[in-house]
Amino acid sequence: MKKIILIAVLVLSTSAAYAQWFDFSSNNGRVEAGLSLGQVGTGTKYEGIGSGANALIYGGYIDLVKFGPEHRFDHRVKDTDWEDHVAICVHLGYQIPILPWLRVMPLVGYAQTNEGLTRGDEMYLDTDDSPSWYHPYDVTKGSRTHYFNYGGGISVQPIKWFSINFCYTPFAIYGGIGINLAAFANK
């Protein structure tokens, strides 16, 4: 049995050297920025479809995906309050190149869920970047729950300027796209 394992390791290492598997130098110079979309708060009563952003710098990966509160930017003014909830996930990882176009990412991160009230009878104007109306959202005391989150992802790079990411963790399932900014700089 030991001989079979040794032969398998030798065959895989020689094929990896020939096929340039695990070529970590391919992460040098890769700087990506992108968007993410998927389910956040998976497995909790606060799950929903959220959006976010991701970035990759020399193989180091970070992302943030957030859902809610649903009625915060509602344009209606009502005498009632809406029961809303929020789910947030933040992950860090590193892309391990398997092939020049395929990478895997072990992820570790943080997830949070909470519930609260969006007050329908109040509306504010935010003029910092671009004007937008919003209702105030107040978190219900004791409803905020924190989770250690971990998982993995796959990144496929069909062309050198663009990549597609798929990530799975116990509290989020999402995908994203990334634009390789360094590829445009080297053009």
Side-chain angles (χ1 to χ4, degrees):
M1 185 65 176
K2 290 180 183 178
K3 289 181 183 181
I4 293 172
I5 293 173
L6 178 64
I7 291 171
V9 167
L10 290 174
V11 168
L12 285 175
S13 65
T14 57
S15 68
Y18 179 72
Q20 295 181 351
W21 289 9
F22 305 110
D23 182 15
F24 287 95
S25 66
S26 67
N27 281 341
N28 294 344
R30 287 193 71 213
V31 177
E32 289 186 9
L35 301 173
S36 301
L37 179 69
Q39 186 177 35
V40 186
T42 306
T44 69
K45 64 181 181 177
Y46 306 115
E47 66 187 14
I49 302 298
S51 60
N54 62 59
L56 174 78
I57 301 172
Y58 290 87
Y61 178 83
I62 185 169
D63 68 27
L64 172 111
V65 186
K66 179 182 179 186
F67 165 73
E70 293 178 77
H71 298 286
R72 183 169 179 119
F73 297 104
D74 197 313
H75 296 288
R76 298 175 290 174
V77 177
K78 296 179 130 188
D79 281 344
T80 60
D81 293 338
W82 291 290
E83 290 185 12
D84 273 341
H85 54 277
V86 174
I88 299 171
C89 289
V90 178
H91 301 104
L92 296 171
Y94 187 79
Q95 287 192 346
I96 301 169
I98 303 297
L99 295 170
W101 56 271
L102 177 68
R103 291 171 171 75
V104 296
M105 299 179 289
L107 298 172
V108 64
Y110 167 79
Q112 173 188 310
T113 59
N114 61 25
E115 61 185 25
L117 292 176
T118 301
R119 295 196 304 263
D121 60 348
E122 293 182 34
M123 201 164 211
Y124 298 108
L125 175 65
D126 182 12
T127 59
D128 289 342
D129 295 333
S130 63
S132 64
W133 293 95
Y134 69 94
H135 296 281
Y137 171 75
D138 297 320
V139 175
T140 303
K141 279 192 172 186
S143 72
R144 187 167 286 161
T145 309
H146 309 277
Y147 307 96
F148 172 71
N149 206 6
Y150 59 91
I154 296 175
S155 179
V156 177
Q157 187 176 11
I159 56 177
K160 71 177 182 175
W161 302 287
F162 176 72
S163 67
I164 303 168
N165 304 318
F166 302 100
C167 299
Y168 174 81
T169 68
F171 296 101
I173 302 169
Y174 58 97
I177 59 169
I179 304 297
N180 189 353
L181 303 174
F184 290 108
N186 295 335
K187 189 175 179 184

